[in-house]
Amino acid sequence: MIVAICKAAPLPRATLIDALQFNHTRKIMKITITISACSFLVAGSLVASSLQEQNKVIAKRAFEEILSQGRFELAEQLYAKDFINHGIHSNASLEEDQAALKGWHQAFSDIVVSPEKLIAEGDLVTIYWIARGTNTGAGNGLPATGKKVELAGITIWRILDGKIKEEWSAFDQLSMMQQLGLLPPNK
């Protein structure tokens, strides 16, 4: 059996130095690119996080000032003109949505709708809320019963350019009707 042993010819010193400098430069470039990419990701995350926090502030303000305090004149500041409330069977415009809200205020003059949990992702804000009030007047098809109610609901808002553009909501209507004495309690 023949075994061949090859010895590489020694490289000139200048070639070794050039190779080491090239490898060093490549490592620095890789580190710089990695740091830059991470910086862009962090900056993008901070911008998204900042936008999500701004959207949560808008949502909280709408709950506190319009839904609870009945300051309907603020709707133009907080809602888009082409706002749509998506219902299961039909949609409501901003005008129709605000009319329904005014009806709740007629039925429950002391209504307070408290946003308990706010979660933001992208341009969506989800709010778990609790409404409390006394049914002192007629509104939204309800007669005045004089009874107090407490109910929970969830609202999802799409907020674009600082305005509420779309809504999806659900709340415990059965519990409300039972608390008002308009439906029998669960057995």
Side-chain angles (χ1 to χ4, degrees):
M1 186 177 336
I2 301 174
V3 177
I5 300 175
C6 293
K7 285 189 173 181
L11 292 173
R13 180 180 167 102
T15 303
L16 285 174
I17 291 173
D18 287 345
L20 288 173
Q21 286 177 341
F22 177 74
N23 282 338
H24 181 71
T25 302
R26 279 184 60 192
K27 285 181 183 177
I28 289 175
M29 286 179 66
K30 282 183 181 180
I31 291 170
T32 302
I33 290 170
T34 302
I35 289 172
S36 295
C38 288
S39 296
F40 286 125
L41 288 174
V42 168
S45 175
L46 290 175
V47 167
S49 176
S50 174
L51 179 62
Q52 291 167 351
E53 289 304 313
Q54 289 172 6
N55 287 347
K56 285 166 60 174
V57 167
I58 292 166
K60 189 172 183 187
R61 184 172 175 216
F63 266 86
E64 291 173 352
E65 296 182 29
I66 298 176
L67 278 70
S68 290
Q69 298 172 15
R71 297 185 57 205
F72 302 109
E73 71 278 5
L74 296 178
E76 289 182 20
Q77 291 178 24
L78 298 175
Y79 288 85
K81 290 180 193 228
D82 58 347
F83 166 85
I84 296 290
N85 184 338
H86 300 281
I88 294 173
H89 302 291
S90 64
N91 295 332
S93 67
L94 179 58
E95 184 178 310
E96 294 165 325
D97 188 71
Q98 292 297 300
L101 184 55
K102 289 174 184 176
W104 290 118
H105 277 265
Q106 290 168 350
F108 301 91
S109 59
D110 63 345
I111 192 169
V112 174
V113 187
S114 302
E116 300 291 322
K117 303 283 182 200
L118 289 90
I119 301 166
E121 182 177 323
D123 59 4
L124 299 175
V125 178
T126 300
I127 307 100
Y128 169 74
W129 50 266
I130 295 177
R132 296 172 181 90
T134 309
N135 181 219
T136 56
N140 284 354
L142 298 174
T145 64
K147 295 186 178 182
K148 291 186 178 292
V149 297
E150 180 178 58
L151 59 109
I154 293 178
T155 295
I156 301 170
W157 277 331
R158 180 178 311 283
I159 301 176
L160 297 171
D161 300 323
K163 302 245 182 183
I164 301 167
K165 176 115 172 122
E166 294 180 88
E167 176 178 328
W168 298 264
S169 284
F171 67 96
D172 190 357
Q173 294 175 339
L174 175 61
S175 172
M176 178 186 69
M177 298 299 277
Q178 289 171 333
Q179 291 175 61
L180 293 173
L182 301 174
L183 287 177
N186 291 338
K187 293 181 180 181

